């Protein structure tokens, strides 16, 4: 087949909702942008373990500790699924990890904020995983087969993540004055960075046009952000918290909540590496990778030995 015929057949598959599989012909740019997005998604899952891991030893009781442990372990699994999905596109795990450690690859800005109180564990589950779910449910219908299938499995666990976060905040909202104060203070810190998770506004999004054409994305950054706001405002009322945005107001004409302007300087500052915890997060990842080298070497040596025996 000629290049044109390949392109035409690829676009027909996209049109007819036929999943693109690893062995199928695909435009180099499609492959490249998928490696970019899936690997950064995987990095986000792995780096996302750090802010929560910080509180496992300080959970208020055994039940909360077990829930948090389970959630952090889930995130590790999500990262491994997504690294495997990225590898189907012809990049190695070592290259992916190197891109993260050298700062060549991004991960979600949200994980560069500190977790200062126990309420942050609930706010992350409720807001961060809540935002992630909005985006990931859409990605279950992404055109690349391995990514879509990984998403289906991951979304099942994400709903537990969001529910446990909300439930933990509900307990605080029914607590004493100090607990309610800690809850409100945490929501004040996590609300706006959670809205930034959906990416820049549509007019600033450099990848969206192609991602929408190729059905990698099914909705735009602003559409998903709006859906998240609409879904979350009423939940905030149940928690008895005020969301830190005086412009938040139901707009009957739009059928959505209006909300204030996001601080895009803060967003790009964090994305560029100058957030409160960027350096700490990358240092932790590099150190963990170095400390784990012996496990990888042992596994490779064992596999070699097994291969020699079988030969
Ligand atoms: N943090 C860091 N970088 C971001 C970002 C964010 N919140 N939002 C956008 N960016 C980057 C993009 O990666 C892109 O840079 P690049 O071209 O170098 O990759 C640039 O800003 C412009 O943004 P675009 O809108 O053009 O980029 P995309 O079309 O890729 O859209 C996205 C951004 C919506 C995040 C999309 O990449 C996506 O859907 N990714 C998959 C989902 C994901 O990664 N979620 C992150 C959180 S995962 C998580 O929270 C796990 C949960 O278990 C806790």
């Amino acid at each position: 087949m000629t290049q044109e015929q390949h392109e035409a057949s690829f676009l027909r598959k996209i049109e007819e909702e036929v999943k693109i599989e690893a062995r199928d012909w695909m435009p180099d740019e499609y492959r490249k942008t998928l490696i970019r997005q899936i690997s950064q998604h995987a990095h986000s899952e792995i780096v996302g373990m750090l802010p929560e891991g910080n509180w496992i030893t300080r959970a208020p009781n055994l039940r909360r500790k077990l829930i948090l442990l389970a959630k952090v372990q889930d995130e590790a699994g999500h990262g491994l699924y997504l690294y495997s999905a990225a590898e189907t596109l012809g990049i190695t795990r070592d290259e992916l990890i190197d891109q993260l450690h050298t700062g060549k690859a991004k991960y979600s800005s949200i994980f560069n904020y500190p977790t200062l109180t126990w309420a942050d564990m609930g706010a992350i589950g409720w807001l961060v995983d809540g935002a992630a779910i909005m985006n990931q449910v859409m990605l279950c219908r992404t055109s690349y087969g391995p990514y879509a299938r990984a998403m289906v499995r991951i979304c099942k666990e994400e709903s537990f993540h969001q529910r446990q976060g909300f439930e933990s905040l509900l307990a605080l909202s029914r607590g004493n004055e100090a607990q309610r104060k800690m809850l409100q203070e945490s929501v004040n810190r996590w609300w706006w960075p959670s809205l930034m998770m959906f990416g820049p506004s549509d007019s600033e999004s450099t990848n969206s046009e192609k991602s929408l054409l190729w059905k990698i994305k099914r909705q735009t950054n602003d559409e998903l952000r709006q859906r998240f706001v609409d879904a979350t405002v009423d939940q905030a009322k149940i928690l008895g918290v005020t969301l830190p945005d005086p412009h938040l107001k139901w707009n009957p004409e739009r059928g959505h909540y209006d909300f204030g302007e996001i601080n895009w300087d803060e967003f790009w500052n964090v994305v560029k590496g100058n957030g409160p915890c960027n350096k700490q997060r990358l240092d932790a990842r590099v150190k963990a990778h170095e400390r784990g080298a012996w496990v990888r070497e042992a596994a490779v040596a064992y596999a070699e030995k097994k291969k020699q025996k079988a030969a």
Side-chain angles (χ1 to χ4, degrees), residues 216-260:
I216 294 171
K217 271 184 179 178
R218 298 297 195 141
Q219 284 172 284
T220 71
N221 298 357
D222 286 335
E223 283 168 352
L224 287 177
R225 196 179 349 258
Q226 181 68 67
R227 277 186 60 192
F228 172 70
V229 171
D230 291 347
T232 311
V233 171
D234 293 340
Q235 292 168 8
K237 288 176 192 156
I238 298 169
L239 294 174
V241 291
T242 316
L243 294 172
D245 177 1
H247 300 284
L248 203 56
K249 190 166 172 300
W250 180 253
N251 180 330
E253 265 108 68
R254 290 180 59 231
H256 294 293
Y257 277 96
D258 290 338
F259 54 95

